[in-house]
Amino acid sequence: MGEPCPPRLSGAPLTPAATLALAISLALRFIHGLEQRLLNATFGGHNLTLQTRTIQSLAFRLGCDFAGLSLSSSIMEWVPQTRHTMQFPAELTQNACRARPRELRLICIYFLATYYFQSDTNASLLNNYVLGAQLGHEHVNNLREPINISFWHNQSLEGYMVTCVFWKEGASQHYWGVWSPEGCRTEQPSPSQVLCRCNHLSYFAVLMQLSAAPVPVELLAPLTYISLVGCSISVMASLLTLLLHVHTRRQRDSITRIHMNLHASVLLLNVAFLLSPTLAVTPVPGSVCAALAAVLHFALLSCLTWMAIEGFNLYLLLGRVYNIYIRRYVLKLCAVGWGVPAFLVLLVLAVKSSAYGPRTILLSDSQGNGTSFQNMSMCWVRSPEVHSVLVMGYGGLTSLFNLVVLAWALRALRRLKAREKAPGPRACRDTVTVLGLTVLLGTTWALAFFSFGVFLLPQLFLFTVFNSLYGFFLFLWFCSRRCRSEAVAEAEMEAFSSAQTVS
């Protein structure tokens, strides 16, 4: 059994795209050819074993009286202290034998190399192992009793996020397949063992990457409920705010327009977030999920940018003693608030379009002496680099900027209040205003940086409650500001009427 080698080509060198296409074609032809040779091989006895430096292949004759099979890896000299097992249930052959009783051929292929399964994921494969199994030309899926695949590592896997995945052929635009967790359940009976329970046959592996602690599965239902209710309330509040602004002729100043742009970005963010888990399911095309993920990322960046613009505007208002004029001020702010996020998202799409798509979120479930894992998906940023720079980094900078502005504004108003001999209504009103701006400036988004250790549980609930209701809090701010402006207008009218009466 041979292995594919890069061809020797003469003439002009291949472009990177052509080289990738050639590598994909070679891997696909080799693996499919290997499968066919094993399915058609003639051998005596009940099984056949073939082995090279990086591949081990086995073929078994199975009858309709199949009672199950357990396989264990042999100790290979070039793979010290690593092992794996595969356990097949008796149900494996039932559907095929029910249709037509006959002898079946089960093939198992163990790859100790990952270059046959190149994908756009940024995680590594545990032990560089890929274990595959196929039952003749049958499609085996939706098994009631799962196939158990165990992987062992020579060191503890604590601190890593491990996910059981299978090779989903034809699901990628750039490679001949992608790693997908569909139909597989991840468990960790011990710190160095990963147990995959899958309901179908395919090529299996364990994705391994450094990650934060997984979310406990028992928190999924309450957090989902809070997010759904909170985001729905925020959507209605933002819509109502925008409609009130459109149908009123008053309060068309630059401050109100900035508020309305923030409301629009929050509305887009909440709508995209509510749709994200729904469009991450299997029947939905991957391109639709990737498009929604890009929109969700754009909405988040826009929301963060408009929060920073609110902080910048507050600085100008207080720093210039409420007297500011910049030509086409709101138009310039719109170019920043909407243009910069759009440019960043388009840049990511141009450089690495695979950065968006279904994002798997790991959920832990403690059972007895071991820990099992479940997966949920949403349409979001998949690239760790993009997430680190353009989600956490961008959000951290805007939150830090607004916290500094807020601290400076509180200090400025404290000095203004101290200059007055008696606490005047204006100083008190300004203090209340700045306290309200703690929500307007999005300071609660800084909670995202406390998702570790003992802070994880309270952070999850506080972050979910405050930020899912962020649009509603903005609505309350809009209402209070409108009521205050109407009260000021009435006071001015009364003063004018009194002056007219005296005169």
Side-chain angles (χ1 to χ4, degrees), residues 63-64 70 295 313 463 482 490:
C64 291
S70 179
V295 172
N313 191 59
F463 183 87
R482 184 174 181 180
E490 290 179 2

Side-chain angles (χ1 to χ4, degrees), residues 442-484:
T443 54
T444 55
W445 289 84
L447 291 170
F449 298 94
F450 293 90
S451 57
F452 58 87
V454 296
F455 300 105
L456 177 62
L457 183 60
Q459 181 268 348
L460 284 174
F461 281 94
L462 290 176
F463 183 87
T464 304
V465 170
F466 283 122
N467 294 322
S468 65
L469 290 171
Y470 183 64
F472 177 69
F473 294 148
L474 290 179
F475 171 73
L476 295 180
W477 168 256
F478 172 80
C479 292
S480 65
R481 188 172 181 273
R482 184 174 181 180
C483 292
R484 191 175 67 181

Side-chain angles (χ1 to χ4, degrees), residues 1 27-41 50 55 57-59 105-109 111 117 131-138 167 169 176 201-203:
M1 180 179 62
L28 184 61
R29 289 169 52 191
F30 172 74
I31 291 178
H32 286 176
L34 176 59
E35 292 171 350
Q36 291 301 317
R37 285 194 292 270
L38 289 172
L39 290 174
N40 298 326
L50 299 174
I55 301 175
S57 303
L58 300 97
R105 179 75 58 89
L106 173 67
I107 62 172
C108 300
I109 307 176
F111 291 92
F117 300 89
L131 310 183
Q134 181 177 340
L135 184 66
H137 297 284
E138 305 291 330
W167 187 252
E169 186 173 343
W176 71 281
L201 288 180
S202 181
Y203 290 99

Side-chain angles (χ1 to χ4, degrees), residues 250-269:
R250 294 177 294 178
Q251 295 186 353
R252 294 298 181 91
D253 55 288
S254 61
I255 299 177
T256 304
R257 291 178 180 177
I258 293 173
H259 293 344
M260 292 306 106
N261 279 280
L262 178 57
H263 273 285
S265 66
V266 173
L267 175 62
L268 179 61
L269 176 63

